[in-house]
């Protein structure tokens, strides 16, 4: 079938301007709109303020969208997501999100092989309790990335054997007990803890079942 053109128009000379007019053909005739309006519409379909805004949007399989924050703009949890057909994938609130507008599409977090805890919902504000979020992120068995903030936790983190726990200079704060507890009731071996500023009652507690534990470039204080 031959391609049908609405009308033949000359090609614009010179660069496109935001005040240039586009011709729009819709059901009730031909209209014009400024390029800036078209750009605004396009940005609204690609960028979302929060994860919740993304989940409430009507999206299609294969779309790649970006959030500007997890709970609010510029909270550090902005990320890229790909919309995939995956009706059996469960929403974990971190790497996979249900869409309110579809029973079969899921938003999958795009990572570089590590998991940013702020993109998992951690606050990093030194006030909100990030314990459950960090613990859940650790269960993904991916290297965690901690942007340099203060992460308050209400209980000690339990690391797995043969892991490297690197906080990249961020602060782990537990006002009630230790930040990390190893070897209390089960064996743990070959763990490296590095680049962490431990604050609170204790930093790292080691018990007899812990073996070959290395602590590098960490600070401890109230």
């Amino acid at each position: 079938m031959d391609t049908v053109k609405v009308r033949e128009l000359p090609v614009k000379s010179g660069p496109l301007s935001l005040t240039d007019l586009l011709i729009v053909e819709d059901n009730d005739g031909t209209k014009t709109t400024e390029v800036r309006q078209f750009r605004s519409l396009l940005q609204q379909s690609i960028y979302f303020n929060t994860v919740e805004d993304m989940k409430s949007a009507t999206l299609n399989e294969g779309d790649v969208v970006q959030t500007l924050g997890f709970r609010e703009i510029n909270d550090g949890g902005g990320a890229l997501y790909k919309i995939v057909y995956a009706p059996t994938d469960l929403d974990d609130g971190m790497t996979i999100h249900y869409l309110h507008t579809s029973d079969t599409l899921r938003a999958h977090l795009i990572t570089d092989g590590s998991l940013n805890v702020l993109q998992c919902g951690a606050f990093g504000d030194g006030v909100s309790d990030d314990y459950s979020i960090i613990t859940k992120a650790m269960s993904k068995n991916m290297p965690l990335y901690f942007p340099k903030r203060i992460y308050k936790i209400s209980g000690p983190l339990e690391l797995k054997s043969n892991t490297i726990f690197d906080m990249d200079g961020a602060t782990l704060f537990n006002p009630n007990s230790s930040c990390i507890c190893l070897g209390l009731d089960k064996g743990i071996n070959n763990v490296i803890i590095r680049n962490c500023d431990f604050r609170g009652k204790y930093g790292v507690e080691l018990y007899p079942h812990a073996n070959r534990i290395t602590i590098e470039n960490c600070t401890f204080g109230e």
Side-chain angles (χ1 to χ4, degrees):
M1 180 181 294
D2 294 335
T3 301
V4 176
K5 295 184 178 180
V6 175
R7 62 177 66 181
E8 291 286 350
L9 294 172
V11 177
K12 171 183 168 63
S13 62
L16 198 63
S17 167
L18 290 176
T19 57
D20 285 345
L21 297 180
L22 295 172
I23 292 178
V24 178
E25 299 281 351
D26 68 13
N27 293 332
D28 58 351
T30 302
K31 302 178 178 64
T32 61
T33 185
E34 287 189 345
V35 170
R36 74 173 77 247
Q37 297 298 325
F38 181 76
R39 187 184 72 168
S40 176
L41 176 63
L42 184 61
Q43 286 178 331
Q44 289 175 37
S45 66
I46 297 175
Y47 296 95
F48 298 94
N49 290 341
T50 66
V51 168
E52 195 61 30
D53 289 340
M54 173 189 68
K55 290 165 62 175
S56 299
T58 300
L59 299 169
N60 297 310
E61 181 181 2
D63 287 349
V64 175
V65 300
Q66 182 167 359
T67 57
L68 303 180
F70 191 89
R71 294 182 181 84
E72 58 185 36
I73 296 177
N74 295 328
D75 64 6
L80 285 172
Y81 296 85
K82 185 168 184 178
I83 309 304
V84 300
Y85 175 82
T88 60
D89 283 3
L90 299 179
D91 187 336
D92 62 10
M94 294 185 174
T95 60
I96 301 171
H97 297 277
Y98 291 156
L99 300 181
H100 301 317
T101 54
S102 172
D103 293 330
T104 59
L105 297 180
R106 305 287 185 260
H108 280 207
L109 176 67
I110 298 174
T111 74
D112 59 0
S114 63
L115 196 55
N116 182 333
V117 294
L118 296 181
Q119 293 174 345
C120 295
F123 291 89
D125 59 9
V127 177
S128 306
D129 185 5
D130 286 326
Y131 176 73
S132 61
I133 294 170
I134 293 175
T135 298
K136 188 175 179 181
M138 289 168 59
S139 71
K140 299 298 179 183
N141 296 318
M142 297 173 63
L144 298 185
Y145 170 60
F146 291 84
K148 198 170 182 179
R149 297 190 181 190
I150 300 174
Y151 299 90
K152 180 182 176 182
I153 55 177
S154 56
L157 301 179
E158 298 182 11
L159 309 182
K160 295 181 179 180
S161 293
N162 305 308
T163 60
I164 297 175
F165 186 77
D166 190 337
M167 289 202 62
D168 298 291
T171 298
L172 202 57
F173 168 52
N174 187 341
N176 303 312
S177 62
S178 59
C179 293
I180 295 177
C181 179
L182 303 177
L184 177 59
D185 54 8
K186 61 182 178 180
I188 184 167
N189 305 282
N190 301 317
V191 172
I192 298 175
I193 301 169
R194 59 167 60 130
N195 301 321
C196 182
D197 175 31
F198 291 104
R199 300 291 171 182
K201 193 171 183 179
Y202 308 109
V204 179
E205 286 188 288
L206 300 179
Y207 289 90
H209 294 297
N211 296 288
R212 294 187 293 277
I213 310 300
T214 302
I215 299 175
E216 301 175 342
N217 194 34
C218 293
T219 57
F220 299 84
E222 293 296 330

